[in-house]
Amino acid sequence: MIQGLYTATQGMTTLTQKQDQIANNLANVNTTGFKQSGMFTRAYQNYLTNDQNQVFANRQIKADDVYVDFREGTLKQTDSPLDFCIRGDGFFKVMSPEGVRYTRNGRFSLNADGLIVTSDGSKVMGTEGYIRVEPDLPINVTESGEVIQKGESKGVINIVDFAKPYDMLRSGNSQFRPRIPGEPELRATQFSLRQGYIEGSNVDMIRNMVNMISAHRNYEADQKALHAQDETLQKAVNEVGRVG
Amino acid sequence: MMRSMMTAATGMEAQQLYMDTISNNLSNVNTIGFKRSRVEFQDLMYQTLREPGVRNFEGGMAPAGIEVGLGVRSAGTQRIFEQGSLNQTDNPLDLAIQGEGMYQIMLPDGSSAYTRDGSFKLSSDGTIVTSSGFQLLPQITIPEGSQSFQVAPDGRVSVMMPGDETSMEIGQIELVRFINPSGLKSLGGNLYATTDASGLPVFSYPGEEGAGTIIQHYTEASNVRIVDEMVSMITAQRAFEIVSKSIQVAEEMLQIANNLKR
């Protein structure tokens, strides 16, 4: 009897986590290069036997895994020469104060040393070191990431990929890091770089709204289930168990 | 549950800042030399509820952890120094810059500021000043009684004195550039100041590489694009609305939780 209360509570906790995640997706609906995340839930079954050796199952639902949805976001034209969008697979490799990070947010600018940096100051890495440009010359970037000024190559923006991009961890600032430190990078091939465009957030508003409503209603149902069990318990304690 | 309310609140704050920036851009749609700004958002830190790789409750290895994001933050506002369109005014003291340079201005406290607003005036002692009365550097003084006033694309200022056959050169306007103009600090009044992020000013004469040329009798209009701003406004409004819905749902779920104990 008490076990049923815990099962319902566990459901409510999981739905709370789901709602937290939806709130984060929706809060980032305008964040450049943001990828929405989803949650897998899993039913755990505990097989218990009673004293007659009859098996009965007890099911609980738990949050099992969080995944990042790497579908491509919408393409937005900005005309800024230092805005980039990766069509296809891959990440920009950047050097943040905490070390190497990967991002899909291609909104770059120049720092005081003439290096290409992200909006939080992390340096964008090329295939051979950082990319230093002349601030007063027009910057052209080819589809493969080569930065060209006045016909002269200034370096190639390093676009890297991983075997399992969906398995990466987020570290805030629209950046990702591999789950296993030191996981080998692959050279991305299935991509083309667009200059003057950025990738919008891929948050699917309608799906998130629907998930939110269903989390809300399921939460309500769990609460009802909890109540019903509480009332049964009340009967058991106060009526069946009445002494005298 | 409180977590998702706070997360959604960061979203509402971010959209509000977005809207603030759009409003400022739209308010300055007719400001001479105004450069529009844009807000840059990034997702906030992630809270790890379960470390990846720990044993799960059936004894197996959990393949992944559970991380929950805590919302969004604004990483900064960036000014877009794109060329604005040129408006003909026929006023000889209106000097637009076509290119990247900026005028250097001396503030009353002696420090320097930089501007793209080239609608200059003459002060009572004949020096070229901005609309707010700040000196253009290097200082250029128009001799009293001069009849016409010309500024060449390379910044050379010449005047014609009464009775003279040829014009007389009285100085040259200098322009400054910055490695990272987006790093400049806005002082209001169309003025900018240097910061560590912008780098030091690079002086050059108009017409030299990258500095841009001076076009007399024109002012530079603001580079705000109304259609773009309106679309951003709609985006900001809808995003604000959808995040507020998620606060509402979180609130209702809290209410349900409260009703557990009747």
Side-chain angles (χ1 to χ4, degrees):
Chain A
M1 183 68 75
I2 304 271
Q3 188 57 46
L5 286 180
Y6 291 137
T7 306
T9 315
Q10 187 56 49
M12 289 174 83
T13 312
T14 308
L15 290 165
T16 309
Q17 285 173 352
K18 222 170 191 163
Q19 169 59 21
D20 287 347
Q21 201 182 37
I22 295 166
N24 186 50
N25 287 344
L26 292 179
N28 283 293
V29 74
N30 275 339
T31 306
T32 315
F34 179 79
K35 300 289 166 195
Q36 65 178 0
S37 45
M39 187 184 279
F40 292 121
T41 49
R42 180 173 172 184
Y44 287 88
Q45 280 199 38
N46 279 355
Y47 292 100
L48 305 168
T49 40
N50 62 9
D51 52 0
Q52 263 95 48
N53 277 335
Q54 287 164 321
V55 178
F56 65 98
N58 164 44
R59 271 189 176 194
Q60 283 197 348
I61 195 151
K62 276 202 155 184
D64 186 50
D65 197 355
V66 170
Y67 65 94
V68 182
D69 177 355
F70 271 104
R71 264 180 301 180
E72 217 167 298
T74 48
L75 195 67
K76 280 199 236 168
Q77 189 168 9
T78 64
D79 291 331
S80 174
L82 282 171
D83 281 346
F84 303 106
C85 169
I86 305 174
R87 302 301 316 265
D89 301 338
F91 297 88
F92 295 108
K93 189 178 178 184
V94 300
M95 181 57 89
S96 81
E98 290 99 44
V100 175
R101 294 284 183 268
Y102 305 88
T103 183
R104 295 272 298 185
N105 179 355
R107 222 166 216 194
F108 299 147
S109 53
L110 293 183
N111 72 5
D113 299 326
L115 297 180
I116 298 180
V117 292
T118 66
S119 50
D120 62 323
S122 307
K123 297 178 197 105
V124 177
M125 295 173 90
T127 46
E128 284 154 34
Y130 304 130
I131 301 166
R132 189 185 298 274
V133 294
E134 304 293 333
D136 50 332
L137 294 178
I139 296 166
N140 284 308
V141 178
T142 64
E143 284 198 348
S144 57
E146 190 169 6
V147 182
I148 295 167
Q149 283 190 306
K150 265 202 159 177
E152 200 183 317
S153 175
K154 295 287 174 183
V156 180
I157 296 175
N158 200 2
I159 310 283
V160 297
D161 203 1
F162 289 91
K164 293 182 199 163
Y166 52 85
D167 211 24
M168 290 175 87
L169 295 176
R170 298 167 186 266
S171 42
N173 300 341
S174 307
Q175 290 166 352
F176 296 88
R177 62 192 149 93
R179 189 181 295 282
I180 305 147
E183 197 178 308
E185 291 166 3
L186 311 172
R187 181 120 180 85
T189 46
Q190 301 292 320
F191 76 93
S192 79
L193 200 65
R194 296 274 178 93
Q195 191 180 11
Y197 291 87
I198 51 166
E199 183 180 356
S201 156
N202 75 346
V203 174
D204 181 344
M205 279 218 214
I206 295 166
R207 180 174 297 234
N208 276 288
M209 282 309 262
V210 170
N211 285 345
M212 192 157 83
I213 294 167
S214 89
H216 181 213
R217 292 300 168 203
N218 288 342
Y219 194 79
E220 215 172 347
D222 266 341
Q223 185 240 26
K224 290 256 155 63
L226 216 156
H227 250 289
Q229 291 181 68
D230 178 39
E231 273 164 26
T232 323
L233 259 184
Q234 193 191 9
K235 277 219 167 72
V237 173
N238 293 336
E239 289 174 29
V240 179
R242 184 175 291 146
V243 183
Chain B
M1 185 56 58
M2 278 314 184
R3 185 167 45 212
S4 81
M5 280 174 113
M6 296 317 251
T7 303
T10 64
M12 287 177 86
E13 265 169 38
Q15 303 313 324
Q16 217 155 28
L17 184 73
Y18 193 13
M19 196 53 226
D20 291 349
T21 317
I22 296 166
S23 306
N24 184 49
N25 286 346
L26 285 175
S27 316
N28 284 295
V29 74
N30 277 337
T31 306
I32 297 171
F34 178 80
K35 300 292 169 199
R36 70 194 153 93
S37 312
R38 67 180 185 194
V39 188
E40 174 61 32
F41 297 125
Q42 291 184 334
D43 51 355
L44 258 178
M45 55 190 278
Y46 283 76
Q47 204 174 19
T48 310
L49 299 185
R50 190 182 71 200
E51 286 292 337
V54 296
R55 297 267 157 205
N56 69 15
F57 100 176
E58 290 169 330
M61 181 83 86
I66 299 169
E67 37 170 33
V68 183
L70 299 180
V72 61
R73 75 185 180 98
S74 26
T77 51
Q78 197 185 359
R79 213 167 261 281
I80 314 295
F81 280 89
E82 220 173 42
Q83 176 82 43
S85 53
L86 297 182
N87 281 345
Q88 191 166 9
T89 62
D90 291 330
N91 178 358
L93 280 165
D94 281 342
L95 309 174
I97 303 171
Q98 191 179 23
E100 277 185 19
M102 292 173 116
Y103 296 111
Q104 190 184 10
I105 303 295
M106 192 173 70
L107 296 181
D109 64 356
S111 61
S112 289
Y114 307 90
T115 185
R116 293 274 298 182
D117 176 0
S119 61
F120 292 111
K121 310 280 179 295
L122 280 188
S123 69
S124 55
D125 54 356
T127 54
I128 297 182
V129 294
T130 66
S131 319
S132 338
F134 304 142
Q135 288 272 354
L136 174 70
L137 289 180
Q139 193 176 324
I140 291 172
T141 312
I142 310 290
E144 219 172 314
S146 54
Q147 278 184 326
S148 69
F149 166 80
Q150 254 117 43
V151 182
D154 61 0
R156 270 194 304 242
V157 184
S158 45
V159 292
M160 185 88 95
M161 295 305 284
D164 280 0
E165 295 277 300
T166 51
S167 57
M168 177 174 73
E169 199 180 308
I170 55 167
Q172 189 169 12
I173 293 172
E174 276 182 24
L175 293 179
V176 295
R177 277 182 302 116
F178 295 92
I179 286 183
N180 178 24
S182 322
L184 290 169
K185 190 172 103 183
S186 309
L187 298 177
N190 289 351
L191 299 175
Y192 303 99
T194 51
T195 63
D196 287 343
S198 68
L200 291 171
V202 182
F203 290 88
S204 50
Y205 289 110
E208 285 176 9
E209 204 165 321
T213 51
I214 290 181
I215 303 179
Q216 201 185 4
H217 306 295
Y218 283 87
T219 53
E220 184 185 357
S222 121
N223 69 354
V224 176
R225 285 186 285 203
I226 294 185
V227 178
D228 287 2
E229 299 297 329
M230 290 310 264
V231 171
S232 304
M233 197 150 90
I234 294 172
T235 320
Q237 187 192 357
R238 291 294 170 221
F240 192 80
E241 214 174 322
I242 197 170
V243 190
S244 76
K245 285 255 159 57
S246 85
I247 292 196
Q248 215 174 324
V249 167
E251 195 270 326
E252 275 167 33
M253 284 167 82
L254 262 186
Q255 201 185 339
I256 292 167
N258 276 334
N259 284 336
L260 273 177
K261 177 82 191 86
R262 274 192 272 219

